[in-house]
Amino acid sequence: MPIRLNAQTRHRHYSQPGFSLLEVLVALVIAAMVCGLAFKVIGNASRTAATSQDYQSGLQLADAQLARIALQPEKWLGQHQGTLPPHFYWQAQISHWQSTPDQPTSPDWALYRIDLQLGWTGRAEPPVRLSTLRLSHASARPDTTAAP
């Protein structure tokens, strides 16, 4: 007995399993969009990590410069500035701390205020600002009566 195939059976018999060209193209477009977004996120995370590391490096340099000045603040009175490698600049203002009239003062000790600002040359990021007070003994103060 011969087998009769109707149109539906014939269609199933001749069609092959798999994806159509249109389905493959849509999947490729979606994959490309996901990859593009992933690369953008990774790139931003990398830039953020580099900026954070640079900021941390700048903070360490500012702290070291502040410690250097704080060793003998009386020798640094006034405004000072300079550069630090690789691409930082610093500015410092050292002044006598003005005590209020009700606070006792001692001729043997002096209190100094040190304000330090460290920034990046050629970049628009806000500078790091550090401030501290340092107490210095009178024997460490420069002799202002001696001839220069």
Side-chain angles (χ1 to χ4, degrees):
M1 172 169 178
I3 300 177
R4 292 185 148 203
L5 300 173
N6 60 19
Q8 210 175 28
T9 308
R10 238 184 276 140
H11 179 68
R12 269 193 240 146
H13 179 70
Y14 292 112
S15 67
Q16 296 181 1
F19 298 106
S20 70
L21 180 61
L22 182 61
E23 292 169 328
V24 170
L25 288 176
V26 168
L28 286 175
V29 167
I30 291 171
M33 289 171 50
V34 168
C35 285
L37 288 174
F39 287 140
K40 188 174 185 177
V41 167
I42 290 170
N44 285 340
S46 176
R47 274 190 297 281
T48 300
T51 300
S52 177
Q53 184 177 6
D54 200 32
Y55 187 83
Q56 185 65 30
S57 173
L59 187 58
Q60 289 175 345
L61 286 170
D63 191 45
Q65 185 66 21
L66 184 66
R68 183 172 158 234
I69 293 170
L71 286 175
Q72 295 180 316
E74 64 280 348
K75 292 186 179 180
W76 289 82
L77 279 174
Q79 291 186 341
H80 299 276
Q81 61 187 14
T83 58
L84 295 169
H87 51 268
F88 297 102
Y89 69 88
W90 63 272
Q91 297 173 337
Q93 172 69 39
I94 299 88
S95 58
H96 287 283
W97 177 256
Q98 302 298 324
S99 59
T100 59
D102 60 334
Q103 292 176 327
T105 58
S106 169
D108 296 333
W109 296 94
L111 194 58
Y112 295 92
R113 179 184 173 126
I114 305 169
D115 295 308
L116 183 95
Q117 175 179 310
L118 183 120
W120 290 260
T121 52
R123 288 175 39 188
E125 286 150 9
V128 174
R129 297 177 194 273
L130 301 174
S131 293
T132 189
L133 295 175
R134 290 292 180 202
L135 192 60
S136 181
H137 196 270
S139 64
R141 284 188 235 151
D143 185 6
T144 55
T145 60

